[in-house]
Amino acid sequence: MYSPRSVDQLHVGAVYYPEQWPEGNWEKDAENMARAGITTVRLAEFAWHKFEPIEGKYEFDWLTRALAVFERHGIGAILCTPTPTYPAWLHRKYPDIHQVRSNGQIKEFGQRQDACKNHAGYREHAMRITELVTKQFGNHPIVVAWQTDNELGCHGTARCYCANCEREFQTWLSKRFGGDIARLNDAWGTTFWSQEYNDFSEISVPRDTADRTSPAGQNPGLALDFYRFSSDVQVSFNRDLATIIRKNSPSRPVTHNLMGGFTHINYFHLAADLDVVSWDNYPFFQPQVAHLPPAPLSHDLMRGLKRKNVWIMEEGAGAGGWDRFFPTPEPGRMRLWAFQAIARGADFVSFFRWRSARYGTEQYWHGIVPHHGKPEARYEEVRRLTSDAKRITDELGGSELRSDVAIIYDYDSLWALDIQPHSMKGISYHEVASDYASAFGRLGIMADIIPADGDFTGYKLVVAPVQHVTEPGFAARLTAYVKTGGVAVIGARSSVKDTENAIHEAELPAGLSEVAGCTVADYDAFSFLSDESVAVTDTNGNRDVAHHLAELLHPAPSAATVLTYEGRYYSGRTAAVRNAYGSGTCYLLGTYLDAKGLQSFLRQPLADASVSAAESLDPAIETTVRTKGTATYRFYLNHDTVTKSVVVKKGGRELLSGAAVAESIQIAPLDVVIVREN
């Protein structure tokens, strides 16, 4: 059974909803779970009404009986606070409990996360039910962990524009600016369009304006601060839940199921109040291109939030969908995606859901077993996975991932580009960062994801994909890192804005021009041009398409041009520079390249940093490394539907088969090979 004492082992779980099935089904479901090797179930995140059918009337016996069923079958439970779906009686008690969109439209009862977290009545009732549930089950012998709420901010619910939020936003701003409205006016530049405020009470949340939907028609400083405030509201709510859990169940770890590439909450801030990060992994949301591995950024970001291994609280088990559904993953793909998660730092993989729902919005979100509950193909695939996990857990349990390469992931920059996405196609910070992570992956390198205020020491190469917003100390810290021997790559449109989303007065990249060895003379967006109209060429004549925009760089005498533009009026102008600075090297790339283009561009910075890159890795093969002590475990995952022959980095013993590995291996379609290297 999964327990807090065995968190350094590999486990496989499932999400289960006993309240959604007749009680007579529970025993058979638990029996089938145990036979499949399921060690843990997650329960009760949507069961508020089941716990409290009438205000002040509580019913806990149903969950007590369900836990007894799982206990008989040796299955542990992760319980949740039932706060994401409030009951209808609470909605009737507080008609204004709902969230409001930026256009003033209310979000009606019937979804998840649809209550405003600044509504005093909701907050009071949410904390009360959390107090009672955690006190009732906090010391239950099979409860091994707690999950706060469920997918905070999902479905566009991280930002609310109601009157409650407006009042709280005004208070938040007053604290941020020390109660000095003149400081706010100066920081936001409110003299523009006569937007000066005499008092914080005059400030509105950034609702839709006369000709623009929020935030496009708003002051950029106001919009960015509202995004920060909205994130802080979710972080504060999670912190309050975690505090109650720790009081009533002090020996159990606290987690929350984050959503990988979801961008409306600063996950570094949210993760600070968790013991372990868990997240929901649905690779079928990503474009499935020519059997390439799903983009690794979400895996690496979730692991980077606490620089620790993670749990997958929801892993796609079949086709997902509500009114429409995605294609069903071919047999073997579910197991492979689970192994990708393990290869990138997951110690626990829990599938969503155990049994496909007969009722409600998620009828077509398919589980491990179909609606009828009888085990079929996906069940057998899970059995194979749990058998694999048992076989390798003694070796991999307690192992971790280390990297010489870091990618900076900065929510302020991400939000600033959401507010002003530059080109007609729009620059997505997350997609740019994802392209870097994918490029490194194709070179056989796994990057750590760190915040902009994180520690750069210990890394040989640090990449800032789009450090659009820079706080005062960032340039000094990155400069010191390079000067003392580090290698840095700075992406286009970096150090353009200050922390209040105002453009720096200094030449761009502000504060970084010396270490980067260049200034930005001008820039051009490809707004009405196809991306193929501008390209970049390296010193060997290799060509890659430029995307979104071009910064025309003016190199310093110390810098060398490494990429040149081809196309438009600036053909022959510098697109990227390499600058030796102190004991290190800095690159500035003045445009955006896709993962393939970045794969070529990054080879030279990696060589400067003495980081080994794969020479000719098959695009369908993903490789990662977990280490424990002196042991090195290298994963080779074949995302293609044909067998691949792969030259191994180093020989050793294959964990799943026990076979010796010398120079090369054959990897079956949608399969994985794990080599403990000699």
Side-chain angles (χ1 to χ4, degrees), residues 502-523:
I503 293 178
H504 287 293
E505 193 169 349
E507 272 190 299
L508 303 182
L512 293 171
S513 56
E514 182 181 346
V515 67
C518 66
T519 55
V520 177
D522 203 353
Y523 44 86

Side-chain angles (χ1 to χ4, degrees), residues 13 52 60 135 252 256 277 282 293 393 425 510 546 584:
E52 191 180 7
F60 301 117
K135 188 174 289 185
R252 274 71 168 183
H256 177 77
V277 167
Y282 292 104
T393 187
K425 290 186 177 180

Side-chain angles (χ1 to χ4, degrees), residues 64-123:
T64 300
R65 296 193 300 274
L67 292 175
V69 171
F70 291 115
E71 186 170 18
R72 284 196 294 275
H73 292 277
I75 297 173
I78 297 174
L79 294 189
C80 307
T81 70
T83 44
T85 49
Y86 62 91
W89 58 257
L90 190 61
H91 176 235
R92 293 305 174 191
K93 180 175 181 177
Y94 299 112
D96 63 340
I97 196 172
H98 49 68
Q99 291 194 341
V100 175
R101 301 180 192 276
S102 62
N103 65 0
Q105 179 186 23
I106 66 170
K107 298 181 181 180
E108 280 290 358
F109 174 82
Q111 250 290 344
R112 300 174 292 173
Q113 303 292 350
D114 38 15
C116 173
K117 289 183 172 56
N118 284 316
H119 189 283
Y122 170 74
R123 197 87 169 211

Side-chain angles (χ1 to χ4, degrees), residues 154 180 255 478 524 560 571 649 657 660:
C154 68
D180 187 348
T255 189
L478 190 67
D524 173 40
S571 283
K649 183 86 171 179
S657 66

